[in-house]
Amino acid sequence: MLKSLQIRNYVLIDSLDVDFPEGLVIITGQTGAGKSILLGALSLLLGSKADPSVIGEGSDNCVVEAVFGIPESDSVLNGILEENDVDSSGGELIIRRVVSRSGRSRSFINDSPVNVQVLQGISSRLVDIHSQHQTLLLTDKSFQLSMLDHFAGNGDLLGECSRSFHRLKDLEEELAEVSGKLSRMNEEREYVYSRWKRLDDAGLKDGELEALEAEQKQLANAEAIKEDLCLVENLFNPSEAGEGAQLSLSAALKEAQKHLERVSKFIPQASELAGRIESSRAELDDILDEVSSINSRTELSSERLEAVESRMSLLYGLLKNYSRNTVAELEALRDSLSESLFDSASLEGRKEELERMVSAEKENLEGICNRLHGSRVKAAGPFSKAVESLVRSLELDRAVFIAEVSQGKLSASGSDAVGFLFSASGANPADVAKCASGGELSRLMLCLKAMMARFVNMPTLIFDEIDSGVSGSAADKMGQMICSMGKDMQVFAITHLPQVAAKGEAHYLVEKEYDVLGSRATSSIKPLQGQERVLELARMLSGSQVTAAAIENAKALLSE
């Protein structure tokens, strides 16, 4: 409910602070007093387009702020608040909107800044403004369908339908994605296979290229390598042929060792030197063995060199063709291409599975839609009679109202469409948006609102002269209906009819006042009680001249 409203510098309203109670709240005032200004300020607060022209004269900005009490049971509203990090733990929302001269506006909920879209989503759960020219209910097919569903008690079925519909859409989206991927893969399959086959046939091994490069260097320089190794061996073992044969390096050292050992009898230090020669000789013998082994393993093979260089050329070519730097990267590419080829078979299986799931979910959704259709068709008659009865109670004795269920587009709410047909005379019912006069439309719209309030968790309702074109006993009955709605929810009625104004639990008067010079006007609102309320009703009954008869009539209306 709307607990309070504060307005600063909005058109003719300099400053306004007003509190509102629960139940039915009546707002009256002479034509031009500022009732539409008050409603405009509230519409701005709820997310309507910001216009700098509404800023009061001499001000830089205007501010509209309201305090709303919110029901804990409204899960949709609480969900919106949670999504936008708005704290609502206190059970109240303070909504504020500020418009500057530049046309820019800022919106806040409980001091948290929000954009206009969020503001509109939240405010739609708080206030429903219905003006005399509003045709939203008559043209909004989803709302008409929602009304019939609430009357039929289709909440659980609608939940099932929504979940099934969204599951189906998710499955269809995945199926389309898998099918598209498969199509692309099939188009590229031959190309992918040829790339994979070339890499697979190459028998790639990580580190192979480095080993081949080292072997190629040896093979390409084998003759020079063997020549050097042979010279080393000859230096260790000089040729023994001929008279000038020399001892091998090992034999020479061994001979030197013997002489040092003899000398050690006289010079102890020579014994240590003999030991060092023995160690050196052992190390040199190992070196000679290694040199001889390397020499024996070094090949002079042009065939092997050709084979190594051919393999290296293949690997270099693959690296260049596939834009890779190492054989390990080529192996990773090969494995990726292999997985891609395997994924094709895997995706085929997933596609078949998804097709079965889509078919099953469609069948499930069709079953739910059929149950919804049956429930709606069954409820359409009683719903039509209930609305028709309300309309006829407002002195449209021959009125006919029909809720017509027809085939519609498949959606989260089923596969039905609902249309409201109406005839004030009872003949040839037609689309309700096209066949009602102003007074008939006012009464019918009030009945629809009353039905909505009965079956839907409605926010605060504001009726802006919904009684336009209605008078006499019909107006009195409309007042009774609005009053009845006020017993279960907060209802504001901006009205010119005293029969309606007398029904309210609270009555507020909007007035326009001029300054002492008569050059500047301001609007204000104040609560009426006792004699003030009687006089306002009398004015509404008799016009500018309040008569004694009008006053007595006003008192009679209030006592009913």
Side-chain angles (χ1 to χ4, degrees):
M1 61 169 282
L2 176 58
K3 292 185 173 183
S4 64
L5 179 65
Q6 297 84 41
I7 302 174
R8 301 287 183 273
N9 308 320
Y10 183 88
V11 192
L12 299 181
I13 301 175
D14 288 340
S15 177
L16 182 149
D17 292 89
V18 58
D19 296 328
F20 297 111
E22 297 180 355
L24 177 58
V25 178
I26 299 296
I27 298 177
T28 62
Q30 294 186 9
T31 300
K35 298 187 296 298
S36 61
I37 294 175
L38 187 66
L39 200 58
L42 188 56
S43 298
L44 175 68
L45 179 74
L46 301 177
S48 65
K49 184 178 179 181
D51 187 340
S53 65
V54 301
I55 300 174
E57 184 180 345
S59 302
D60 295 327
N61 59 35
C62 71
V63 181
V64 184
E65 181 176 300
V67 179
F68 292 90
I70 59 173
E72 295 181 1
S73 59
D74 193 337
S75 58
V76 175
L77 175 59
N78 289 324
I80 297 174
L81 295 173
E82 288 179 10
E83 288 175 10
N84 292 279
D85 297 324
V86 177
D87 179 23
S88 61
S89 57
E92 286 188 345
L93 289 184
I94 301 174
I95 299 180
R96 182 172 73 259
R97 196 165 185 205
V98 182
V99 180
S100 65
R101 284 286 180 191
S102 66
R104 295 177 61 86
S105 71
R106 292 175 295 155
S107 305
F108 303 87
I109 299 180
N110 286 357
D111 291 327
S112 298
V114 296
N115 59 40
V116 174
Q117 290 74 25
V118 172
L119 177 63
Q120 291 172 343
I122 292 174
S123 64
S124 67
R125 307 291 304 182
L126 300 172
V127 178
D128 177 34
I129 299 177
H130 180 80
S131 66
Q132 59 180 315
H133 303 296
Q134 185 190 43
T135 58
L136 178 62
L137 290 179
L138 301 178
T139 58
D140 188 346
K141 296 299 182 182
S142 63
F143 177 77
Q144 295 175 0
L145 180 65
S146 174
M147 282 195 66
L148 180 58
D149 281 328
H150 279 90
F151 182 87
N154 287 335
D156 292 340
L157 265 179
L158 282 170
E160 285 185 50
C161 187
S162 178
R163 289 188 292 272
S164 177
F165 178 80
H166 288 106
R167 278 197 303 269
L168 177 60
K169 289 302 176 185
D170 290 341
L171 288 170
E172 287 178 338
E173 286 179 9
E174 186 180 354
L175 177 59
E177 183 180 347
V178 169
S179 297
K181 190 173 182 180
L182 267 175
S183 178
R184 292 190 297 272
M185 288 179 67
N186 288 333
E187 291 174 0
E188 300 171 357
R189 184 176 179 80
E190 185 175 340
Y191 172 68
V192 172
Y193 178 79
S194 65
R195 283 166 62 85
W196 169 80
K197 188 72 166 60
R198 186 178 179 192
L199 291 172
D200 190 60
D201 289 346
L204 301 171
K205 296 178 182 177
D206 188 20
E208 178 186 14
L209 184 58
E210 291 78 2
L212 288 171
E213 288 173 340
E215 185 179 0
Q216 189 271 340
K217 287 181 181 179
Q218 291 181 14
L219 288 170
N221 297 281
E223 188 172 340
I225 291 170
K226 289 188 74 65
E227 182 179 341
D228 287 333
L229 291 175
C230 287
L231 286 173
V232 172
E233 287 182 314
N234 288 335
L235 288 172
F236 272 76
N237 291 307
S239 173
E240 296 180 3
E243 293 183 4
Q246 297 178 359
L247 292 173
S248 68
L249 190 55
S250 178
L253 289 172
K254 190 173 183 179
E255 187 68 23
Q257 180 184 349
K258 285 170 57 179
H259 289 294
L260 285 171
E261 286 174 350
R262 283 204 298 265
V263 171
S264 66
K265 295 176 183 179
F266 310 104
I267 303 174
Q269 185 181 357
S271 178
E272 180 185 349
L273 295 174
R276 289 170 66 185
I277 287 176
E278 183 178 7
S279 297
S280 299
R281 186 169 59 82
E283 179 67 18
L284 289 171
D285 286 344
D286 285 342
I287 291 173
L288 179 58
D289 288 341
E290 286 291 328
V291 170
S292 298
S293 176
I294 293 172
N295 194 11
S296 65
R297 292 198 308 269
T298 302
E299 298 182 47
L300 291 171
S301 174
S302 59
E303 293 81 4
R304 177 58 185 168
L305 176 60
E306 184 178 351
V308 168
E309 290 179 341
S310 176
R311 178 67 177 172
M312 290 172 62
S313 177
L314 171 64
L315 295 177
Y316 284 140
L318 291 174
L319 290 171
K320 181 178 180 180
N321 291 339
Y322 290 98
S323 302
R324 297 298 187 273
N325 296 316
T326 65
V327 173
E329 291 179 9
L330 287 176
E331 288 182 292
L333 175 60
R334 177 199 62 199
D335 295 341
S336 175
L337 293 172
S338 177
E339 289 176 7
S340 177
L341 293 170
F342 175 77
D343 281 349
S344 176
S346 176
L347 284 174
E348 288 286 358
R350 180 58 178 166
K351 180 184 177 183
E352 292 175 1
E353 181 185 14
L354 284 170
E355 287 172 341
R356 290 192 297 270
M357 293 171 71
V358 166
S359 178
E361 197 58 57
K362 277 184 178 178
E363 185 177 348
N364 179 53
L365 181 58
E366 287 171 359
I368 297 172
C369 288
N370 288 336
R371 287 154 60 197
L372 269 174
H373 177 74
S375 176
R376 287 162 176 165
V377 169
K378 182 179 179 180
F383 174 75
S384 300
K385 288 190 178 300
V387 176
E388 187 177 283
S389 176
L390 284 174
V391 174
R392 289 186 175 187
S393 72
L394 299 180
E395 298 189 356
L396 289 174
D397 299 336
R398 296 184 180 182
V400 173
F401 179 87
I402 300 172
E404 187 177 62
V405 181
S406 59
Q407 184 66 36
K409 183 180 178 182
L410 181 66
S411 69
S413 57
S415 57
D416 294 320
V418 171
F420 289 168
L421 307 180
F422 177 75
S423 170
S425 66
N428 304 318
D431 187 339
V432 72
K434 302 175 182 178
C435 66
S437 66
E440 293 163 354
L441 183 62
S442 295
R443 282 174 270 189
L444 177 59
M445 291 297 286
L446 176 59
C447 293
L448 290 173
K449 288 284 187 177
M451 289 292 293
M452 183 171 65
R454 186 181 304 175
F455 297 107
V456 184
N457 182 24
M458 281 292 295
T460 292
L461 267 173
I462 298 178
F463 290 119
D464 180 21
E465 299 184 10
I466 193 173
D467 45 25
S468 176
V470 183
S471 60
S473 58
D476 184 64
K477 291 176 181 178
M478 287 183 72
Q480 292 176 10
M481 187 176 292
I482 294 173
C483 186
S484 177
M485 294 170 65
K487 293 178 181 178
D488 301 315
M489 60 189 299
Q490 187 184 46
V491 178
F492 287 80
I494 300 174
T495 182
H496 285 292
L497 292 179
Q499 296 94 328
V500 175
K503 305 296 182 184
E505 299 171 10
H507 190 157
Y508 291 79
L509 176 65
V510 177
E511 296 180 301
K512 181 185 288 185
E513 300 174 346
Y514 290 87
D515 60 15
V516 292
L517 299 177
S519 59
R520 186 171 184 274
T522 58
S523 292
S524 62
I525 184 172
K526 68 175 183 178
L528 297 179
Q529 293 179 346
Q531 187 63 18
E532 285 185 321
R533 188 174 186 190
V534 171
L535 291 174
E536 172 61 10
L537 287 177
R539 181 198 64 77
M540 297 173 72
L541 284 164
S542 62
S544 58
Q545 294 293 329
V546 177
T547 64
I551 291 175
E552 291 303 317
N553 196 0
K555 290 179 179 179
L557 285 174
L558 287 171
S559 64
E560 290 180 0

